[in-house]
C-alpha cells in the first residue's frame, strides 16, 4: 500500500483524497536528508504527515517541481492528481493536507 493524500477539515473530515494503490506518491519524496526540500522530506512513508495552511504554499511549490520531473506517464498522472488536490486546499482556512502512510 502506498501513501494516500487527503484534504481534510479542521475536524478531520476527509473532503477529497487521492489513493495510492500503486505506490506512486513516494516518488514525489526527495528523501529525509535532502537539503533542497523544506516540506516533502518530512513526509513519513509509514505514518501520517499533516500540512497546515501556513505550510501549503511552500509545500505546493515543492510538489509542482517534483511533478515536473516525473517521467513515467502513470506516475506523472498520479502526481498531477496529488498536485491538483493540494492546489484545491491553497488559501483556504482550516483546511489541511494529510499524507497517510501504510
Amino acid at each position: 500500500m502506498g501513501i494516500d493524500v487527503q484534504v481534510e477539515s479542521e475536524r478531520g473530515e476527509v473532503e477529497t483524497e487521492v489513493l495510492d494503490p500503486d505506490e506512486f506518491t513516494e516518488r514525489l519524496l526527495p528523501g529525509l536528508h535532502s537539503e533542497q526540500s523544506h516540506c516533502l522530506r518530512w513526509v513519513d512513508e509509514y505514518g501520517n504527515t499533516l500540512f497546515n495552511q501556513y505550510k501549503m504554499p511552500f509545500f505546493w511549490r515543492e510538489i509542482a517541481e517534483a511533478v515536473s520531473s516525473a517521467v513515467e506517464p502513470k506516475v506523472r498522472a498520479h502526481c498531477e492528481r496529488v498536485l491538483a488536490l493540494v492546489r484545491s486546499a491553497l488559501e483556504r482556512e482550516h483546511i489541511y493536507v494529510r499524507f497517510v502512510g501504510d
Side-chain angles (χ1 to χ4, degrees):
M1 181 171 176
I3 304 168
D4 298 336
V5 185
Q6 304 172 333
V7 170
E8 61 184 53
S9 72
E10 67 182 333
R11 288 176 278 205
E13 299 162 332
V14 176
E15 292 186 0
T16 57
E17 65 184 335
V18 174
L19 301 177
D20 186 28
D22 298 311
E23 300 182 357
F24 292 149
T25 303
E26 69 184 59
R27 297 192 193 185
L28 284 172
L29 308 180
L32 184 60
H33 301 292
S34 171
E35 293 182 16
Q36 297 175 7
S37 172
H38 299 285
C39 298
L40 287 178
R41 73 181 186 171
W42 302 116
V43 173
D44 182 355
E45 295 178 43
Y46 307 105
N48 293 343
T49 307
L50 188 70
F51 292 96
N52 64 24
Q53 65 195 31
Y54 295 118
K55 298 172 189 168
M56 209 79 63
F58 306 102
F59 168 58
W60 184 82
R61 272 180 271 185
E62 282 190 41
I63 290 179
E65 288 175 18
V67 168
S68 69
S69 66
V71 178
E72 296 176 52
K74 288 182 180 182
V75 173
R76 187 177 188 100
H78 173 82
C79 294
E80 286 174 349
R81 285 193 300 276
V82 171
L83 182 62
L85 181 137
V86 175
R87 187 181 307 122
S88 75
L90 281 172
E91 300 180 15
R92 292 177 59 202
E93 293 185 16
H94 309 294
I95 294 295
Y96 303 88
V97 172
R98 181 183 301 271
F99 282 74
V100 182
D102 61 2

